[in-house]
Amino acid sequence: MIDVIDPATGEVAGRAPDTTREQLDAVVAAARAAQPGWAARTVDERRGYLRAIADVVEANTGELARLVTREQGKPLPVAVAEVAGLAYWLRETATLDLPETVNQDDGERLSITRHVPLGVVAAITPWNYPIGQLSFKISPALLAGNTVVVKPSTFTPLSTLRLGELLGDVLPQGILTVVTGGDDLGPWLTAHPGIDKISFTGSTVTGRAVMAGAGASLTRVTLELGGNDPAIVLPDVDPEEVAEQLFWAAFGNAGQICLASKRIYLHTAVYDRVAARMVELAEQVKIGNGLDDGVQLGPISNTRQYGTVLDLYRDAVDSGYDILTGGPLDGLFFRPTLIGNPPDDARIVREEQFGLVLPLLRFDDVDEVIARANTSEYALGASVWSADPEAARAVAERLDAGTVWVNEVMHLSPLVPFGGSKQSGIGVESGQAGLLAFTERRTLTVKRR
Ligand code: NAD
């Protein structure tokens, strides 16, 4: 068994099975055996199952959310919203269709292209949204007629394990199975010949390893990887209002969001006022155990991530950058930390912090800031902030990112595809395109004369 640590207290929050290779083989074999029967059901029947799963998730929101907070650290209301998001995604995904294209239908020939399931999907998730990340994977994978083997992060397996148990009462055996374990389990799953598709969310470094492992069997991959999202703030904004929006865009979930704003570019005309207000907010925010009432920011989620954040903070201190506020607290707690105008080649600007340290960067010229924003190797999300949405849009059109928002961030929908380009990933999740990523095209041709 593996101990799961509560990052707020350092106590053991629970234990998860350490799956052996033989046990994994048996799980994959059972998923393979169950898949043809699942695919043989009508799409409407599978839609019914998605809705039934959503009902179970909803009925158990309190228990699942508490587990998320205990293993991940986020405030309980945020965990409740995360669990509710899964139910919502399941129901909305159930409204999508698997289209059929009639290529030819005449006296000579009938030709139809359909989307058929791939087989067994491995869904590998990170620790920042253990339940939320499943929304983008299990909803479309199951609707398309695949069976799924879910592998949560070693740091946050408890809520996913409980979800798997609960869904065992609704779904036939072998349709969705959760496996947990140590560092070997991901590579075993990735290279497993019984897996037909890997839907992976995690870091870019691990994504490369996943793709290499998948190469041996030409297993299909969708990779949702790291980001270093720029937010560009034009001179006409209301500085106080935008400061508050950017504060949560950057520091929500203790900064541990792939689509968090990670580099804030402020026009010189508003730099001082936005920075001053963000400092105020950073010094007022309530930090603590996510189970306690009124807590707005929990701890950093695990010791490994804490090490990354602390290292970037120390590098900023050692380099003599202007620390406007912040720094480490006890345990895995960290204050929101703002770094005033570090150089573009600073590590805190170039690297993904995925935590509570944020660079505020000054700019004078829009062309120059677009070029600076686009130099990153990542291209996941980006945002532009302005009182004039059309002017912001003209800037947004020139940014390299899978999704660019104007005057908001992180608005996702089950009906809209999202994903990263460059080193932020391959493929998309959600929407029609996200559903079809769990299928193969199959063409049937009947010669009539
Ligand atoms: P990670 O890459 O360390 O781990 C992700 C998952 O992969 C975990 O389940 C882990 O156990 C597993 N894993 C580790 N090594 C593996 C291997 N060799 N083969 C197969 N699986 C393996 O990432 P993390 O630290 O859990 O998550 C943080 C990262 O995820 C950040 O970079 C963040 O930006 C990214 N992320 C991206 C998105 C997105 O949608 N693009 C969303 C959330 C997080």
Side-chain angles (χ1 to χ4, degrees):
M1 297 294 270
I2 289 173
D3 284 348
V4 179
I5 304 300
D6 178 338
T9 61
E11 288 163 10
V12 174
R15 292 189 172 80
D18 191 2
T19 304
T20 64
R21 197 189 268 267
E22 291 67 35
Q23 287 167 330
L24 178 66
D25 288 344
V27 165
V28 174
R32 291 206 81 72
Q35 197 269 331
W38 182 244
R41 292 174 189 265
T42 64
V43 178
D44 268 342
E45 277 182 273
R46 293 197 298 267
R47 286 193 175 101
Y49 275 106
L50 290 198
R51 295 189 182 107
I53 296 174
D55 292 344
V56 170
V57 170
E58 211 161 62
N60 293 278
T61 301
E63 183 191 356
L64 290 168
R66 236 187 121 74
L67 282 170
V68 169
T69 293
R70 286 222 64 201
E71 64 184 352
Q72 200 279 340
K74 69 188 60 181
L76 190 57
V78 183
V80 167
E82 177 176 343
V83 176
L86 173 57
Y88 173 66
W89 233 264
L90 284 157
R91 290 195 182 110
E92 290 294 309
T93 304
T95 67
L96 293 173
D97 279 319
L98 288 162
E100 250 182 44
T101 309
V102 179
N103 309 304
Q104 186 180 350
D105 184 8
D106 54 25
E108 184 192 15
R109 181 179 292 109
L110 171 68
S111 166
I112 303 175
T113 301
R114 294 200 178 90
H115 290 275
V116 298
L118 287 160
V120 181
V121 169
I124 303 180
T125 53
W127 47 260
N128 65 336
Y129 281 87
I131 293 290
Q133 292 292 346
L134 289 172
S135 318
F136 318 134
K137 303 188 186 306
I138 64 173
S139 320
L142 293 176
L143 181 65
N146 304 281
T147 53
V148 184
V149 178
V150 176
K151 194 207 88 62
S153 167
T154 313
F155 296 114
T156 54
L158 301 177
S159 52
T160 309
L161 270 176
R162 182 67 187 128
L163 179 73
E165 275 170 21
L166 292 166
L167 298 191
D169 295 339
V170 181
L171 291 169
Q173 223 188 341
I175 305 299
L176 184 146
T177 315
V178 177
V179 292
T180 60
D183 291 344
D184 288 336
L185 186 60
W188 289 342
L189 192 55
T190 303
H192 202 291
I195 297 293
D196 301 290
K197 159 102 192 182
I198 301 162
S199 174
F200 172 84
T201 301
S203 65
T204 296
V205 170
T206 310
R208 291 189 188 115
V210 166
M211 194 156 174
S217 306
L218 288 184
T219 308
R220 275 64 177 149
V221 292
T222 296
L223 304 175
E224 294 292 345
L225 309 178
N228 194 3
D229 292 12
I232 296 179
V233 181
L234 300 182
D236 61 354
V237 296
D238 173 342
E240 270 70 37
E241 189 186 330
V242 92
E244 185 148 358
Q245 290 167 311
L246 290 173
F247 182 86
W248 290 110
F251 293 135
N253 204 35
Q256 303 164 129
I257 307 182
C258 53
L259 292 166
S261 300
K262 291 172 181 154
R263 298 175 280 159
I264 310 274
Y265 293 92
L266 300 167
H267 189 274
T268 254
V270 289
Y271 180 97
D272 290 336
R273 284 177 67 192
V274 174
R277 180 66 185 136
M278 288 184 80
V279 168
E280 264 175 31
L281 292 166
E283 292 174 357
Q284 288 164 4
V285 75
K286 187 166 176 203
I287 301 168
N289 186 326
L291 292 178
D292 293 344
D293 276 351
V295 163
Q296 293 169 290
L297 284 183
I300 302 284
S301 207
N302 53 68
T303 47
R304 191 186 77 187
Q305 189 58 27
Y306 187 84
T308 301
V309 173
L310 188 63
D311 182 43
L312 285 170
Y313 170 75
R314 287 198 177 134
D315 179 74
V317 172
D318 294 346
S319 304
Y321 303 150
D322 188 9
I323 313 293
L324 303 175
T325 187
L329 294 163
D330 290 344
L332 295 187
F333 290 97
F334 215 95
R335 288 188 291 148
T337 302
L338 295 164
I339 316 282
N341 206 29
D344 282 355
D345 64 356
R347 285 185 55 204
I348 190 59
V349 181
R350 286 184 291 111
E351 297 178 22
E352 181 188 37
Q353 66 276 57
F354 214 64
L356 291 164
V357 183
L358 181 71
L360 302 182
L361 302 142
R362 200 185 273 274
F363 76 91
D364 296 296
D365 175 73
V366 167
D367 289 338
E368 164 229 312
V369 80
I370 291 170
R372 288 164 73 192
N374 284 343
T375 54
S376 177
E377 60 172 349
Y378 295 111
L380 189 57
S383 60
V384 184
W385 302 77
S386 168
D388 177 352
E390 284 308 309
R393 183 178 161 182
V395 176
E397 303 269 15
R398 296 169 62 196
L399 292 176
D400 288 347
T403 307
V404 187
W405 286 276
V406 168
N407 291 337
E408 63 177 354
V409 282
M410 295 189 252
H411 175 76
L412 298 178
S413 158
L415 306 180
V416 178
F418 84 91
S421 45
K422 294 171 38 181
Q423 298 297 302
S424 289
I426 293 180
V428 294
E429 294 190 310
S430 294
Q432 181 79 18
L435 172 62
L436 298 187
F438 289 100
T439 66
E440 201 95 84
R441 282 178 193 77
R442 182 169 297 164
T443 298
L444 174 77
T445 300
V446 179
K447 181 118 173 22
R448 287 174 167 154
R449 67 173 154 77

